[in-house]
Amino acid sequence: MDWLSRLFEMMPVRGRLDIRCSYSVPWRIDQGPGATNEIPYHAVLAGSAILDDPAGGRPLLLKTGDILLLPANPRHVMHDGSGAAPLPARNRAAQNFTISENLGSDERLDLLCGHFAIAPPHDRLLRSYLPPRLVVNAGARTGKGTAAQLAGLVSLMRSETADDHLGGHAMLNALSTAMFALVLRLASETDATSRGLLALVGDPRLAPAVAAMFNAPARAWSLPELARLCNMSRATLARQFQDKLGRSASDLLTDIRMTLAANELKRSSLSTAAVAEMVGYQSEAAFQRAFKSHIGVTPAQWRKAQRSGENVLAGPSAPVDPPRAMQA
């Protein structure tokens, strides 16, 4: 199985379309942060938008075909760039989503906005391997390749929101989920990110090592073994992981193992020792230490919390804009 399919098998993602915006200049969107386990997305169907950098850096221009993911889940501001006070906008409920629009006759922004939900603790792990913001361009529907596939998927979402057919809610959410996979695939094929997991797997020389760890995480992989898979020296492999991922191959392997262990403790009645062995630990004590270091609680506490419905990973709640509608 390829690494991305394996990742989604380990960390299920649920997509949801929340709102379709149709704005004439001037307009402004102020949104977020969402729930702590959410990654917002925006897909530009027509027009352009300026995204202000929450960290105070240079604003980002988004154009038609761009899809923006914000794994850091910040409060973010998008606008038309004119600096003028935005026209009043109103929200109205369609059958399967919300429409936000203003009055005006200028060239309009057409924008799909939603989010991806990842169950804890996987949301923290996945977020740590993605850049704070990720942009890919879907391009045209003509041609072949991931960009064309993504363009076709976005076009189908556009059609579903235009017609609001029976079953549209389920369709739009399923398409949103598929969009997440295609965005990550496209980003790994292009230079959309310079660091993180996508930059790592985007290097064909390193892909065999990543695939090996995802597909056989219980194996006691050594750095020389992984280096041989990539036809490079041990020192080169170690340097490439640090340069592209900011972490070692051992760190990635441990993260994969802990993700699988959290899943197994949640859904099965296997003993902690059996789960430890399943993910590559001969010592239950070593597994206990690694699990608590990565997840924040012991395996027993994690299992108990999952069965009782308690969120033992909950931190301070982030403010959530009610409802999930754009504010102009």
Side-chain angles (χ1 to χ4, degrees):
M1 188 182 297
D2 67 87
W3 74 269
L4 186 56
S5 297
R6 185 72 170 136
L7 180 71
F8 278 103
E9 186 178 71
M10 292 164 49
M11 304 179 186
V13 175
R14 293 182 293 105
R16 173 170 175 167
L17 176 70
D18 297 314
I19 193 165
R20 180 172 178 173
C21 299
S22 177
Y23 294 147
S24 180
V25 174
W27 58 267
R28 176 186 171 93
I29 294 168
D30 189 340
Q31 187 188 37
T36 54
N37 68 320
E38 293 179 1
I39 294 177
Y41 76 79
H42 301 280
V44 184
L45 302 180
S48 62
I50 303 291
L51 172 72
D52 286 345
D53 185 351
R58 179 178 297 180
L60 176 67
L61 172 64
L62 300 171
K63 56 187 182 298
T64 300
D66 280 347
I67 299 173
L68 166 71
L69 270 61
L70 293 166
N73 191 15
R75 176 169 290 278
H76 53 283
V77 174
M78 300 171 69
H79 54 86
D80 62 275
S82 68
L87 294 171
R90 68 182 184 92
N91 295 340
R92 59 184 175 90
Q95 183 171 233
N96 295 304
F97 57 96
T98 299
I99 298 171
S100 182
E101 56 193 355
N102 64 16
L103 299 177
S105 57
D106 294 342
E107 181 179 347
R108 302 182 71 83
L109 170 75
D110 196 356
L111 189 71
L112 297 179
C113 306
H115 68 273
F116 308 108
I118 306 102
H122 309 323
D123 57 322
R124 296 185 302 177
L125 177 60
L126 186 57
R127 188 173 289 117
S128 71
Y129 279 115
L130 294 176
R133 64 185 190 188
L134 176 63
V135 180
V136 298
N137 188 272
R141 282 177 287 169
T142 57
K144 299 179 180 179
T146 304
Q149 291 177 319
L150 187 53
L153 184 145
V154 172
S155 178
L156 184 54
M157 293 179 69
R158 183 177 193 167
S159 175
E160 281 291 327
T161 56
D163 298 330
D164 208 12
H165 286 309
L166 182 68
H169 179 77
M171 278 286 294
L172 288 167
N173 290 349
L175 291 170
S176 292
T177 302
M179 179 200 290
F180 188 67
L182 283 175
V183 167
L184 296 193
R185 181 196 292 176
L186 183 57
S188 71
E189 295 172 352
T190 63
D191 58 355
T193 177
S194 58
R195 278 178 71 85
L197 183 61
L198 299 177
L200 186 71
V201 298
D203 188 332
R205 300 173 302 166
L206 300 172
V210 178
M213 288 188 285
F214 268 102
N215 282 311
R219 180 169 171 174
W221 290 107
S222 67
L223 199 58
E225 284 180 304
L226 294 172
R228 281 195 295 272
L229 290 175
C230 300
N231 295 313
M232 61 179 62
S233 71
R234 171 180 175 175
T236 299
L237 181 71
R239 185 175 63 253
Q240 290 290 326
F241 263 79
Q242 285 295 338
D243 289 347
K244 294 184 180 297
L245 191 63
R247 303 182 188 188
S248 68
S250 176
D251 290 337
L252 176 59
L253 180 59
T254 300
D255 284 339
I256 294 171
R257 287 174 168 179
M258 293 304 103
T259 300
L260 292 172
N263 290 341
E264 197 62 37
L265 288 165
K266 179 179 179 179
R267 67 179 173 231
S268 79
S269 58
L270 289 176
S271 68
T272 300
V275 173
E277 184 176 359
M278 177 181 294
V279 297
Y281 285 81
Q282 299 304 310
S283 164
E284 183 179 351
F287 169 71
Q288 295 255 14
R289 289 193 298 270
F291 192 90
K292 185 170 183 180
S293 174
H294 278 70
I295 306 300
V297 294
T298 67
Q301 290 170 327
W302 170 254
R303 170 173 273 166
K304 181 180 179 181
Q306 298 311 297
R307 291 178 176 176
S308 66
E310 178 187 0
N311 184 4
V312 292
L313 305 179
S317 298
V320 181
D321 291 335
R324 301 193 60 85
M326 297 300 170
Q327 298 178 349

